[in-house]
């Protein structure tokens, strides 16, 4: 069975004429999480950024507020930038979320494709991978042991010190969020961690060789195939018809990704490029419920089977009402079609 959910960066972007306050944007986000729970979605994730247009710098705080308003939906980071954080505090925050949510907390950790957290918290980008490797090791030790003895380069050592509170779940789920680095896929498999693959461009099936690396590394280290779960995070949107989905989604997508392109050296978005990404093999999971369900299943087959799919729907120009409508369609139409 494929779990279906939403990932959000707590975006306050509603186009160039946005007059929405941060208070209003946060309240609307919590309403969307509450509604996602009501319509039967499996998971809701909140990212981590430290930029003006996003409100998700304190991920666990948002998720804890959502936990008090929901009953069934699992609540996760998407992703926590572990390299620029203290793993002990990350565990404590999500263990607390686990208590508040009565066992519904998860963590997706990664190095972060946005790098603003590194200078903000005093870390060097030259240590990008070393930081993550060391801090992931500590996070897993804290997750698995009440008393921890550990030493490393980037943090003070721990000598048989306890870490509290403890999560309700015996093993708080820790997923490894990855982009396109083969080393990251192998690392997740070697550790036997579930894998969350963020595919934000191109054609999704091209990630199959990397996912094969993950599964091969996992099985070589003694993990069973059913333990090696794969999640897929992709931009997408659902509306009543394919035409309305494109009409509502494209203007804001073009605005947002053209702006990101100026920062990262990508060319501006064109309608031709958008149509390529929205075709049957492209990354954009966009259209009416039937088309979207078919595409998720097609992606799953192409990747050798996925356990979770999450829509990233934050987009300049999409209104709260449109997002609520999309969540309703995903919960009442797309998920039943997939299952």
């Amino acid at each position: 069975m494929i779990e279906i959910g939403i990932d959000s960066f707590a975006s306050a972007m509603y186009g160039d004429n946005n007059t929405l306050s941060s208070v209003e944007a946060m309240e609307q986000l919590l309403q969307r999480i509450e509604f996602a729970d009501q319509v039967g979605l499996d998971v809701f994730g909140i990212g981590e950024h430290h930029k003006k247009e996003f409100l998700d710098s304190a991920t666990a705080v948002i998720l804890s507020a959502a936990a008090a308003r929901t009953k069934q939906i699992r609540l996760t980071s998407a992703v926590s930038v572990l390299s620029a954080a203290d793993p002990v505090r990350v565990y404590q925050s999500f263990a607390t979320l686990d208590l508040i949510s009565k066992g519904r907390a998860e963590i997706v950790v990664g190095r972060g494709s946005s790098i603003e957290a590194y200078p903000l918290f005093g870390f060097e980008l030259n240590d990008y991978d070393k930081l993550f490797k060391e801090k992931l090791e500590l996070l897993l030790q804290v997750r698995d042991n009440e008393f921890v003895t550990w030493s490393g380069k980037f943090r003070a050592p721990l000598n048989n010190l306890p870490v509290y509170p403890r999560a309700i779940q015996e093993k708080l789920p820790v997923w490894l969020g990855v982009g396109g680095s083969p080393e990251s896929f192998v690392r997740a498999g070697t550790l036997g961690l579930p894998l969350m693959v963020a595919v934000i461009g191109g054609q999704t099936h091209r990630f199959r060789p990397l996912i094969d690396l993950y599964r091969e590394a996992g099985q070589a280290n003694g993990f069973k195939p059913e333990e090696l779960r794969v999640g897929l995070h992709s931009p997408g949107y659902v509306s009543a018809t394919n035409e309305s989905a494109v009409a509502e989604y494209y203007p804001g997508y073009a605005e947002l990704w053209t702006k990101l392109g100026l920062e990262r050296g990508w060319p501006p978005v064109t309608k031709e490029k958008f149509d390529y990404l929205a075709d049957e093999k492209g990354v954009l999971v966009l259209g009416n419920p039937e088309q979207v369900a078919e595409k998720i299943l097609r992606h799953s087959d192409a990747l050798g089977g996925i356990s979770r799919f999450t829509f990233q729907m934050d987009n300049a120009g999409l209104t709260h009402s449109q997002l609520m409508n999309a969540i309703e369609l995903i919960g009442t139409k797309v998920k039943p079609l997939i299952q």
Side-chain angles (χ1 to χ4, degrees):
M1 183 179 294
I2 301 175
E3 296 175 330
I4 302 295
I6 308 289
D7 288 332
S8 173
F9 298 158
S11 169
M13 298 182 297
Y14 289 86
D16 290 336
N17 298 318
N18 176 28
T19 58
L20 196 71
S21 71
S22 295
V23 171
E24 292 168 322
M26 186 65 76
E27 173 56 27
Q28 289 181 359
L29 172 62
L30 292 172
Q31 289 175 15
R32 293 196 293 273
I33 302 174
E34 188 174 10
F35 189 52
D37 182 49
Q38 292 169 358
V39 299
L41 295 190
D42 299 296
V43 60
F44 206 108
I46 300 292
E48 180 190 337
H49 297 82
H50 303 270
K51 295 182 176 182
K52 183 177 181 179
E53 60 265 37
F54 301 114
L55 302 173
D56 60 349
S57 65
T59 307
V61 177
I62 299 174
L63 293 172
S64 293
R69 298 167 65 151
T70 56
K71 294 181 172 62
Q72 300 294 329
I73 197 166
R74 297 191 68 77
L75 301 166
T76 183
S77 57
V79 303
S80 293
V81 185
L82 185 62
S83 303
D86 182 343
V88 174
R89 290 299 281 162
V90 170
Y91 176 80
Q92 289 176 320
S93 295
F94 281 85
T96 302
L97 171 63
D98 207 44
L99 297 177
I100 296 169
S101 66
K102 300 180 175 62
R104 293 184 280 130
E106 300 188 3
I107 315 174
V108 181
V109 296
R111 296 178 294 183
S113 60
S114 296
I115 59 173
E116 69 276 359
Y118 290 82
L120 185 62
F121 296 109
F123 295 103
E124 297 291 336
L125 277 172
N126 290 339
D127 297 322
Y128 189 72
D129 193 61
K130 293 176 184 176
L131 280 163
F132 185 73
K133 182 179 179 181
E134 178 177 297
K135 293 189 175 190
L136 178 60
E137 175 193 310
L138 177 55
L139 176 65
L140 295 177
Q141 284 206 34
V142 171
R143 192 264 312 257
D144 295 341
N145 301 280
E146 183 176 342
F147 287 80
V148 180
T149 297
W150 176 91
S151 64
K153 178 181 178 182
F154 300 104
R155 190 200 186 280
L158 299 172
N159 184 18
N160 198 37
L161 291 177
V163 178
Y164 301 116
R166 306 304 299 177
I168 294 177
Q169 297 175 84
E170 184 177 350
K171 207 162 192 175
L172 184 67
V174 175
W175 295 64
L176 193 60
V178 298
S181 166
E183 293 79 12
S184 296
F185 286 79
V186 171
R187 175 185 289 143
T190 300
L191 295 170
L193 296 177
L195 184 76
M196 179 54 72
V197 187
V199 183
I200 61 173
Q203 294 185 321
T204 300
H205 72 275
R206 293 181 176 178
F207 278 73
R208 177 62 182 268
L210 295 172
I211 290 173
D212 286 345
L213 282 177
Y214 163 69
R215 291 180 169 128
E216 289 164 7
Q219 292 182 45
N221 283 274
F223 296 100
K224 299 175 182 177
E226 59 268 24
E227 294 179 279
L228 302 171
R229 301 178 66 200
V230 175
L232 178 61
H233 157 110
S234 291
Y237 179 67
V238 185
S239 188
T241 67
N242 183 57
E243 292 74 20
S244 62
V246 171
E248 293 164 12
Y249 188 79
Y250 172 70
Y253 177 88
E255 178 186 332
L256 173 62
W257 286 88
T258 297
K259 180 181 177 183
L260 286 174
L262 291 174
E263 298 174 3
R264 302 189 185 188
W266 302 334
V269 173
T270 64
K271 187 60 166 60
E272 182 181 14
K273 179 67 173 178
F274 177 85
D275 290 341
Y276 169 74
L277 295 176
D279 73 11
E280 65 176 18
K281 293 183 179 180
V283 64
L284 294 179
V285 182
L286 178 77
N288 64 43
E290 292 75 20
Q291 288 173 306
V292 165
E294 288 172 5
K295 192 164 192 178
I296 292 171
L297 292 171
R298 190 159 55 244
H299 282 341
S300 180
D301 288 343
L303 298 177
I306 62 173
S307 300
R308 176 177 291 180
F309 181 87
T310 56
F311 292 83
Q312 208 304 93
M313 293 198 300
D314 286 352
N315 206 24
L318 285 175
T319 66
H320 176 59
S321 176
Q322 288 171 329
L323 291 169
M324 290 285 275
N325 182 63
I327 289 169
E328 181 174 16
L329 290 172
I330 293 168
T332 62
K333 302 290 185 182
V334 175
K335 183 181 172 182
L337 286 168
I338 287 172
Q339 294 182 345

